[in-house]
Amino acid sequence: MSLDEDTRWLEWVTKQFESIAGEDKEIDLEEFKTALKVKESFFAERFFALFDSDGSSTISLDELLKALDLLIHGSETDKLKFLFQVYDVDGSGSIDPDELRTVLKSCLRESAISLPEEKLDDLTMALFESADKDNSGSITFEELKAELETFPEVMENLTISAANWLKPPDLEQKRRQAPRYLTPAYWHNNSRKLLFLCVYACLSLLLFTGAMLQNHHGGAWYMVAKGCGQCLNFNCTFVMVLMLRRCLTWLRATWVVRVLPLDQNVLLHQIVGYAILCYTVLHTTAHVINFVKLSERTDYRLWEYLLTTRPGIGWVKGTASVTGVVLQVMICLMVLCSSTFVRRSGHFEVFYWSHLSYVWVWSLLVVHCANFWKWFVVPGLLFILEKIVGIAVSHMGGLYIVEVNLLPSKVTHLVIKRPQFFHFKPGDYIYINIPDIAKYEWHPFTISSAPEQSDTLWLHIRSMGQWTNRLFEYFRQPESPAVSPKRLATSLRNRRQLNKAQISAKMGENTRYCNIKCYVDGPYGTPTRQIFASEHAVLIGAGIGITPFASILQSIMYRYRRRKQNCPNCNYSWCENIKDSEMKLRKVDFIWINRDQKSFEWFVSLLTKLEMDQADEEPEGRFLEMHMYMTSALSKNDMKAIGLQMALDLLAKKEKRDSITGLRTRTQPGRPEWGKVFQKVSEEKKGKVHVFYCGSPALAKVIKAQCEHFGFNFYKENF
């Protein structure tokens, strides 16, 4: 640090100390635990004992500054000595196996990882045997230092990362950066969307100006009202065009997908929706001002102009004003109920039912405006046709849920008997209606089975709202004993038809065979349809966002098996680099980010199978690489997790599988450093990189910004 940075750091720590310490200007153990934000008291007590140099059971400002100076400004050796003292619980100058086990057990709790006692013993012995070079039965400081030096990533930044108050805020982060919307990379990677929005804006301006000029005789506010009205005619039909899912799915298979931003139709639908709200408010305001002026010159009062048909304004018995007020209220409510905080807060039904009022909005618009029907007739017919086709398809043949698996993290796995006429692409989604759960509600979910799986459809549904919670609870309840013989016979028949691969993935007592009627509308295409046209695909799923990639990964491996060759004598396998018109993929990186250990459990069986399917040798290196991240686990450079992460690495190399998930792929702690991840992808030079993401919108922004920096194409799953 420079002298200025050192002074700033001293001021920061002093300020933080004063905010933590009481009136006695000393920090006790409880205050220290609260400030350090550690889950496990072992580390708080060990750090406190080492910070409390005079043994007074409190930490003064001088003691804190001395300890922090060592951790932040100290040399590598100084920091390692501090770490050694943390592990040396009895202060004997060496670490025995029991001390190491105590430390690792606390590390597991701190990282929210649950492992059997036997596995903890294995971890302890793996690290101890590796560090105890002289087989003396204890680890000295020099031996611990030598062991840590074999993990260079740990030595880069040895600190207590959870204690944010130890370090001052970084000035570099506070410096204002140019908005990413102004960078050349953003304009290059979003060219189709930006061009589309420019054309949309120009068309809106043209419509607004034309309507104003046609009505110049009515005064300024009358011109504004008519201009907004014309824009509303266009937008209230265009907002529907953007949600013609069957038409958009068909267009995705044509050259149009390279010109129009079809993959961002939901975003554009939202933009047009907000435009409708703005035009409506301005349109209403302009008319109210006109009515105020008219009420001063005529016998009608303002409220009569707004709330009655007496003035005779409108082409259907003077109802323009009344329908306008109702439309204003309905549009405002629709936009409010469509807000993110409503849809993501477990109240999807509020959004769903309020959005169905579009039927009344269009009906009122036909009555409200004499020319609206001219704009509406063609898109309206397409919309009605889509609905008729959807109803017909969803009710053709009997679709039944034949099996339900209740998985960890409150995930419901539905197995639906697949009809012969049902064809879909990997990553597609459907709308499902289960009358036993809610008679009139349809909800969208991604198909998690591969198209090559001909007998059944899979859906993995996370319990996050009212309908999904009802679904989980419905199947968690014990089955009713009063079951008809026919139903049992049908259930047994369906049970025998299930694929053997499905049976291996069942969850024992959490599996239920049934015969429940359901209706399916779809399938509908998503941006992930582009995956097989890319050369290097990076699939990123956060939590339940894995479901689109479940289907994609299975389909990829089905196609990959066609290239795989096996030696009949020694079972050695290799993969021939065959050109495939259906799949240009040369490399797939799969990244799954989860909050905790249990979130991995429901999908591990499939990932294990995908790992086993890969060939021993491939012409261009590993075709499918998996990267698992657990955000609740502390990173490798955190003092509270160093020992655990080293032990997990050593045991993974020894057993050739990860202790957390059981996969060959080692689960990484913390969050991905996207800059480093994409830098590595870029250096592989496997062809044009396409990044496909499904998960939280906040993380999508971060990943999209990095994709723009590296020039990768970014696709976000939306429906």
Side-chain angles (χ1 to χ4, degrees):
M1 284 187 180
S2 65
L3 185 61
D4 289 342
E5 288 174 330
D6 220 26
T7 304
R8 180 171 150 267
W9 174 80
L10 182 63
E11 290 175 355
W12 170 260
V13 172
T14 304
K15 184 179 177 182
Q16 291 297 95
F17 178 86
E18 290 172 353
S19 68
I20 297 164
E23 295 180 0
D24 57 354
K25 302 297 181 184
E26 300 274 338
I27 296 177
D28 60 26
L29 180 58
E30 290 305 316
E31 290 170 335
F32 187 77
K33 284 181 181 178
T34 303
L36 200 60
K37 299 176 183 177
V38 293
K39 301 172 187 173
E40 179 59 34
S41 61
F42 170 83
F43 287 105
E45 290 167 4
R46 293 299 300 144
F47 292 148
F48 185 85
L50 295 172
F51 279 29
D52 180 21
S53 56
D54 61 3
S56 63
S57 298
T58 57
I59 301 174
S60 65
L61 178 60
D62 289 338
E63 287 175 322
L64 180 66
L65 289 174
K66 184 179 178 181
L68 295 186
D69 184 65
L70 180 145
L71 288 173
I72 296 175
H73 303 91
S75 66
E76 205 171 82
T77 303
D78 291 334
K79 293 178 182 178
L80 286 175
K81 283 181 179 177
F82 183 87
L83 177 66
F84 183 82
Q85 289 175 311
V86 171
Y87 281 36
D88 182 17
V89 180
D90 60 6
S92 63
S94 63
I95 304 168
D96 61 42
D98 291 317
E99 285 177 319
L100 186 60
R101 190 182 191 280
T102 301
V103 172
L104 292 183
K105 190 171 185 178
S106 298
C107 287
L108 285 170
R109 291 176 182 169
E110 193 69 34
S111 293
I113 299 173
S114 176
L115 294 176
E117 291 294 319
E118 296 79 8
K119 184 62 72 174
L120 176 59
D121 292 339
D122 292 341
L123 288 169
T124 303
M125 295 313 298
L127 180 56
F128 191 87
E129 289 171 358
S130 179
D132 184 18
K133 307 295 183 186
D134 58 3
N135 297 320
S136 63
S138 62
I139 302 171
T140 63
F141 171 72
E142 293 301 326
E143 287 176 327
L144 181 65
K145 183 181 178 183
E147 184 66 22
L148 280 166
E149 284 172 350
T150 62
F151 294 85
E153 70 274 12
V154 171
M155 304 301 292
E156 287 178 8
N157 185 23
L158 197 58
T159 183
I160 307 174
S161 64
N164 296 321
W165 55 278
L166 294 180
K167 294 190 286 185
D170 192 355
L171 280 178
E172 294 296 321
Q173 293 180 356
K174 291 191 173 183
R175 290 177 185 170
R176 297 189 67 180
Q177 298 179 348
R180 70 183 185 94
Y181 303 105
L182 301 179
T183 60
Y186 176 83
W187 285 80
H188 173 74
N189 290 305
N190 294 275
S191 55
R192 287 180 302 163
K193 181 181 75 174
L194 294 171
L195 179 61
F196 184 85
L197 288 174
C198 285
V199 172
Y200 168 74
C202 291
L203 182 58
S204 297
L205 182 62
L206 189 65
L207 290 170
F208 186 85
T209 305
M212 283 184 69
L213 293 175
Q214 287 179 0
N215 296 275
H216 64 277
H217 57 275
W221 286 109
Y222 185 74
M223 292 167 66
V224 169
K226 287 297 183 179
C228 290
Q230 187 75 320
C231 289
L232 283 168
N233 284 335
F234 166 65
N235 281 276
C236 287
T237 52
F238 186 53
V239 75
M240 169 179 54
V241 171
L242 291 168
M243 296 309 289
L244 294 174
R245 295 186 181 89
R246 291 185 186 277
C247 293
L248 293 175
T249 299
W250 175 74
L251 286 172
R252 277 191 174 93
T254 68
W255 59 270
V256 177
V257 74
R258 296 192 294 271
V259 180
L260 298 178
L262 300 181
D263 295 333
Q264 294 174 307
N265 67 302
V266 174
L267 172 65
L268 297 173
H269 175 80
Q270 292 170 342
I271 290 171
V272 174
Y274 285 119
I276 289 171
L277 178 64
C278 294
Y279 284 131
T280 305
V281 171
L282 190 56
H283 178 76
T284 302
T285 303
H287 271 313
V288 169
I289 294 172
N290 280 328
F291 291 154
V292 169
K293 293 180 178 179
L294 285 171
S295 64
E296 293 172 353
R297 300 197 305 266
T298 63
D299 295 332
Y300 296 110
R301 296 180 183 179
L302 177 60
W303 68 269
E304 290 179 296
Y305 275 111
L306 292 174
L307 304 174
T308 70
T309 59
R310 293 172 192 169
I313 299 172
W315 74 297
V316 180
K317 297 183 179 180
T319 55
S321 296
V322 177
T323 53
V325 171
V326 176
L327 282 165
Q328 179 70 74
V329 173
M330 292 183 73
I331 289 170
C332 288
L333 285 174
M334 283 182 73
V335 173
L336 179 65
C337 295
S338 304
S339 303
T340 304
F341 75 89
V342 173
R343 290 184 288 113
R344 304 287 180 185
S345 61
H347 295 91
F348 181 83
E349 287 79 4
V350 175
F351 159 74
Y352 177 81
W353 288 108
S354 64
H355 236 58
L356 287 179
S357 61
Y358 64 76
V359 177
W360 295 106
V361 170
W362 289 333
S363 302
L364 288 170
L365 280 169
V366 171
V367 176
H368 178 76
C369 176
N371 293 317
F372 178 72
W373 70 270
K374 299 174 184 176
W375 292 84
F376 181 78
V377 62
V378 175
L381 286 173
L382 279 175
F383 180 82
I384 292 168
L385 184 61
E386 274 216 356
K387 286 295 179 185
I388 292 171
V389 171
I391 293 169
V393 169
S394 64
H395 287 77
M396 277 177 64
L399 285 185
Y400 290 90
I401 300 169
V402 294
E403 182 187 344
V404 178
N405 296 308
L406 300 182
L407 306 177
S409 303
K410 293 191 75 175
V411 174
T412 307
H413 173 203
L414 301 181
V415 179
I416 303 169
K417 189 165 178 59
R418 180 179 172 180
Q420 292 181 350
F421 61 84
F422 191 90
H423 303 288
F424 67 97
K425 302 282 186 182
D428 284 1
Y429 69 97
I430 58 172
Y431 279 81
I432 186 169
N433 168 253
I434 306 175
D436 285 2
I437 307 299
K439 192 171 184 179
Y440 299 107
E441 292 185 27
W442 293 77
H443 293 266
F445 297 104
T446 306
I447 302 170
S448 52
S449 53
E452 291 84 354
Q453 188 175 309
S454 59
D455 295 334
T456 56
L457 290 173
W458 288 2
L459 297 179
H460 284 84
I461 301 170
R462 181 82 172 268
S463 299
M464 298 181 69
Q466 294 177 14
W467 189 88
T468 52
N469 275 312
R470 287 205 304 271
L471 178 73
F472 186 85
E473 293 300 325
Y474 178 85
F475 289 112
R476 196 172 68 167
Q477 295 171 0
E479 291 186 78
S480 172
V483 182
S484 66
K486 286 186 179 180
R487 184 168 178 176
L488 282 175
T490 307
S491 179
L492 181 62
R493 185 168 60 253
N494 290 328
R495 177 176 176 174
R496 288 172 175 170
Q497 290 174 348
L498 293 174
N499 191 287
K500 290 181 181 179
Q502 300 168 20
I503 295 172
S504 64
K506 292 180 172 88
M507 301 297 294
E509 67 275 6
N510 290 328
T511 298
R512 176 174 168 182
Y513 297 99
C514 54
N515 199 42
I516 295 173
K517 183 76 174 177
C518 68
Y519 300 98
V520 167
D521 179 22
Y524 297 112
T526 64
T528 49
R529 284 196 170 195
Q530 302 292 322
I531 187 170
F532 294 105
S534 56
E535 295 174 303
H536 190 166
V538 180
L539 313 179
I540 304 173
I544 198 66
I546 190 74
T547 47
F549 306 130
S551 174
I552 291 165
L553 287 171
Q554 289 177 90
S555 186
I556 286 173
M557 295 313 291
Y558 270 114
R559 302 179 191 207
Y560 171 83
R561 288 187 202 114
R562 299 174 193 166
R563 304 178 180 183
K564 186 177 173 182
Q565 305 294 321
N566 292 286
C567 176
N569 299 321
C570 63
N571 292 325
Y572 188 77
S573 61
W574 69 95
C575 186
E576 294 183 354
N577 194 6
I578 304 170
K579 289 186 178 180
D580 189 345
S581 59
E582 293 183 5
M583 187 171 77
K584 298 178 182 178
L585 279 171
R586 296 167 60 193
K587 177 70 184 293
V588 178
D589 280 288
F590 170 61
I591 301 172
W592 191 15
I593 307 158
N594 267 314
R595 183 177 300 167
D596 51 42
Q597 184 182 358
K598 283 189 76 68
S599 299
F600 288 101
E601 293 175 359
W602 66 273
F603 197 52
V604 162
S605 59
L606 174 62
L607 296 180
T608 303
K609 192 172 186 301
L610 294 178
E611 281 188 330
M612 292 171 65
D613 280 343
Q614 291 211 73
D616 299 313
E617 183 180 331
E618 302 184 29
E620 297 183 350
R622 205 77 173 149
F623 174 71
L624 171 64
E625 282 196 30
M626 299 185 189
H627 313 268
M628 307 292 163
Y629 290 89
M630 185 170 137
T631 58
S632 67
L634 299 177
S635 62
K636 290 183 179 180
N637 55 21
D638 192 305
M639 277 193 177
K640 301 187 296 298
I642 288 171
L644 174 63
Q645 295 302 331
M646 288 168 58
L648 286 169
D649 279 344
L650 289 166
L651 194 60
K653 289 177 184 176
K654 181 181 177 182
E655 296 183 346
K656 294 186 178 179
R657 64 188 182 92
D658 183 53
S659 297
I660 297 173
T661 62
L663 297 170
R664 294 177 189 170
T665 305
R666 169 80 164 86
T667 302
Q668 300 299 319
R671 291 174 170 80
E673 295 183 44
W674 295 111
K676 291 182 179 179
V677 170
F678 288 149
Q679 182 64 44
K680 183 184 175 184
V681 169
S682 181
E683 290 170 356
E684 290 182 4
K685 300 187 183 303
K686 296 287 186 180
K688 182 65 176 175
V689 178
H690 296 252
V691 177
F692 301 87
Y693 171 78
C694 186
S696 70
L699 183 56
K701 292 179 182 178
V702 175
I703 296 173
K704 187 176 182 181
Q706 288 293 335
C707 288
E708 289 165 3
H709 175 74
F710 284 93
F712 300 163
N713 288 347
F714 177 79
Y715 303 90
K716 181 177 180 293
E717 191 81 359
N718 278 314
F719 51 78

